[in-house]
Amino acid sequence: METQLEQIRDLQKKTWNQSSPGWRKWDELTMDFLKPVGDEIIQKLKPQGDNYVLDIAAGTGEPGLTIATMLNNGKVVITDLAEGMLEVARENAVKRGIKNVETIVCDVSELPFQDNMFDVISCRMGFMFFPDMLMAAKEMIRVLKPGGRIAASVWNGSDKNLWFTTAMSSVNRNMTLPPPAPGTPGMFRCAEENLIADLFSKAGFKDISQKNIEGKLNCGTADVYWGFASEVVGPVVNSLSMADDALKQKIKSEVFKTINDTYPDGKVAIDFSANVIYGEK
């Protein structure tokens, strides 16, 4: 891997490990939030029986853990770049009594598996953070068996994901943040229409299809939303880490006002929109 890509990877690893305590704290809300996307991935993949499944960039374990419960004699290998995230995944497996899973810390661009090993690959909200997305897709098709199935998801545009922009807009109003370099990892890097579908095609996948999934972040109150955004949403967490207490409070107050103005009934459920892409080897 090129030095620049290694630097991006190492920064990603550091960032996700730093945010893993927040993901542990807010795991129940986060998994409820992302469940419609995971359900669509599972519906596309139709894992069953003795399938050998690879869940890439699985974070705290989904959809890999749910897939594991659907297998009779199969197994799920859950991978992520961040050790801290996989610690939560292992805790979740124990809580749910799921034993047919294994966790491995690894880089998607250098998967530690032989060719043609897996029947199924899932990757929920991972592609936009990979240093080289095409390299990642080529690694995935390498380890997938002929006829194997893959499904991945990415966020659609920021204008369709108010769960993110509600907090980040206030951050941007109050802080001067350096613009990311073109092509670097970011939440909405894959929002362009057909970007991942075209990437799958270049990597060698066939029978490619995609489907938009929309839903809500059901946080209930402004206080819960702020806790989630300030402790789980990476760009918000990173930005607030550079702000003093007074600035943090100002941003928080603005976010609370926006939430309370938007949801005067106090029932906070904020829109999201994602794209699920399916392919076969």
Side-chain angles (χ1 to χ4, degrees), residues 222-224 226-227 251-261:
D223 192 55
V224 169
W226 175 254
I251 293 170
K252 179 179 179 179
S253 296
E254 288 185 5
V255 171
F256 267 64
K257 184 178 188 307
T258 299
I259 290 289
N260 290 327
D261 288 348

Side-chain angles (χ1 to χ4, degrees), residues 23-273:
W23 279 75
R24 175 184 278 108
K25 177 179 177 180
W26 294 99
D27 194 61
E28 184 175 351
L29 175 62
T30 306
M31 292 305 101
D32 176 74
F33 169 44
L34 295 175
K35 188 176 185 299
V37 179
D39 287 348
E40 180 63 24
I41 287 174
I42 292 170
Q43 195 279 327
K44 292 290 187 185
L45 293 174
K46 295 179 172 59
Q48 58 186 317
D50 61 354
N51 279 175
Y52 193 29
V53 180
L54 176 62
D55 190 14
I56 293 176
T60 61
E62 287 294 344
L65 292 175
T66 296
I67 291 174
T69 66
M70 303 171 66
L71 308 176
N72 293 328
N73 299 303
K75 178 181 177 181
V76 179
V77 178
I78 294 175
T79 69
D80 200 274
L81 189 62
E83 301 93 331
M85 299 295 277
L86 288 183
E87 285 179 11
V88 184
R90 287 192 293 273
E91 292 171 6
N92 288 337
V94 171
K95 288 177 186 175
R96 295 169 61 181
I98 301 170
K99 298 181 179 179
N100 57 332
V101 295
E102 176 185 5
T103 61
I104 296 178
V105 177
C106 65
D107 179 1
V108 66
S109 298
E110 299 173 335
L111 292 173
F113 309 113
Q114 297 178 359
D115 297 354
N116 308 315
M117 280 189 68
F118 295 94
D119 300 288
V120 167
I121 294 178
S122 59
C123 181
R124 188 175 70 175
M125 303 306 180
F127 262 95
M128 54 279 226
F129 300 113
F130 299 152
D132 187 318
M133 296 187 292
L134 182 57
M135 185 185 299
K138 287 180 176 179
E139 273 292 270
M140 292 181 192
I141 200 168
R142 177 185 68 79
V143 303
L144 196 61
K145 293 178 182 177
R149 311 175 300 283
I150 182 172
S153 66
V154 295
W155 294 115
N156 286 322
S158 59
D159 59 320
K160 299 177 181 179
N161 283 284
L162 302 183
W163 65 273
F164 175 83
T165 56
T166 297
M168 201 63 200
S169 294
S170 181
V171 170
N172 288 328
R173 281 195 300 270
N174 288 280
M175 300 180 70
T176 303
L177 302 172
T184 56
M187 196 79 71
F188 304 109
R189 178 190 184 196
C190 299
E192 181 183 334
E193 188 174 2
N194 295 321
L195 188 149
I196 296 298
D198 291 343
L199 191 77
F200 273 21
S201 181
K202 289 178 183 177
F205 291 107
K206 59 186 181 182
D207 295 328
I208 299 164
S209 63
Q210 52 188 342
K211 181 177 179 179
N212 281 330
I213 303 295
E214 296 182 351
K216 303 280 188 181
L217 171 62
N218 294 302
C219 40
T221 68
D223 192 55
V224 169
Y225 172 73
W226 175 254
F228 170 82
S230 63
E231 296 180 30
V232 173
V233 181
V236 179
V237 175
N238 293 339
S239 300
L240 292 176
S241 71
M242 297 181 283
D244 60 28
D245 289 343
L247 184 53
K248 288 179 186 176
Q249 186 57 48
K250 184 173 186 292
I251 293 170
K252 179 179 179 179
S253 296
E254 288 185 5
V255 171
F256 267 64
K257 184 178 188 307
T258 299
I259 290 289
N260 290 327
D261 288 348
T262 307
Y263 305 94
D265 62 357
K267 298 176 182 179
V268 181
I270 310 179
D271 291 342
F272 81 74
S273 178

